[in-house]
Amino acid sequence: MRQTFNHEPVLTQALWPQQSWARTLILILLGSWLIALCAQIQIPLWPVPVTGQTFAVLLVAALMGARQGAASVLLYLAQGAMGLPFFAAGAAGAAVLFGPTAGYLFGFVLAAYLVGWLAEQGWDRQVGTAVLAMLLGNVVIYVAGLLWLAQFLPLAQLFSVGLLPFIPGDVLKIVAAALLLPGGWRLYRRN
């Protein structure tokens, strides 16, 4: 027996329901620019400064759904690889996609697809399920990032350098993004 899943509209579809290639292109472009903008936001926490990059990836995915969210991340990566200062701290160029952080960057694509798909199942409507969707997306980012980073660091340092310092900031970003989504739906339903 084949299991079917509901496909709920994500928030961008509810707000802008007319489907067209122009709408899709505009949303994907805006999503990539939001990720790039948030990648430049840094909160100087110790031991690792927190950027808004993962916040934007998870939020864009939940707002746009699996395919458009992942496409936004892919476009973000392409623009950064072409030399636009879109990566964290204004970094740019294709070399970033082969450096120590590349696993996290490519993990963004997988996480965006997963979080977007979960939003299409209605997980973005309640804070609890939105937090869980974002947490799962973050786990995907960590796994991809750590697998790649293992080529650059000894295994003994992998978790202390590539995971543990990021957890407090990522918890804050997940909570912020997960609070915005149900809030956005409540505002939409009032109108």
Side-chain angles (χ1 to χ4, degrees), residues 23-100:
R23 172 201 171 276
T24 300
L25 185 61
I26 289 168
L27 288 175
I28 290 169
L29 188 59
L30 290 174
S32 74
W33 290 349
L34 178 63
I35 297 166
L37 176 66
C38 288
Q40 308 316 309
I41 298 170
Q42 287 197 5
I43 301 168
L45 295 180
W46 185 88
V48 175
V50 175
T51 68
Q53 201 170 18
T54 54
F55 166 80
V57 166
L58 299 173
L59 186 62
V60 164
L63 287 170
M64 297 173 61
R67 290 182 302 197
Q68 291 180 12
S72 290
V73 176
L74 286 169
L75 182 58
Y76 160 74
L77 295 177
Q79 291 170 104
M82 290 187 295
L84 295 174
F86 277 15
F87 299 131
V96 175
L97 299 181
F98 298 99

Side-chain angles (χ1 to χ4, degrees), residues 57 70 73 103-116 137 140-141 144:
V57 166
V73 176
Y104 300 99
L105 293 171
F106 287 107
F108 289 166
V109 179
L110 301 172
Y113 192 87
L114 173 63
V115 171
V140 168
I141 294 168

Side-chain angles (χ1 to χ4, degrees), residues 115-137:
V115 171
W117 183 81
L118 291 171
E120 291 169 358
Q121 308 313 307
W123 286 41
D124 60 337
R125 307 308 198 276
Q126 302 295 321
V127 173
T129 52
V131 165
L132 185 55
M134 305 261 172
L135 180 63
L136 291 170

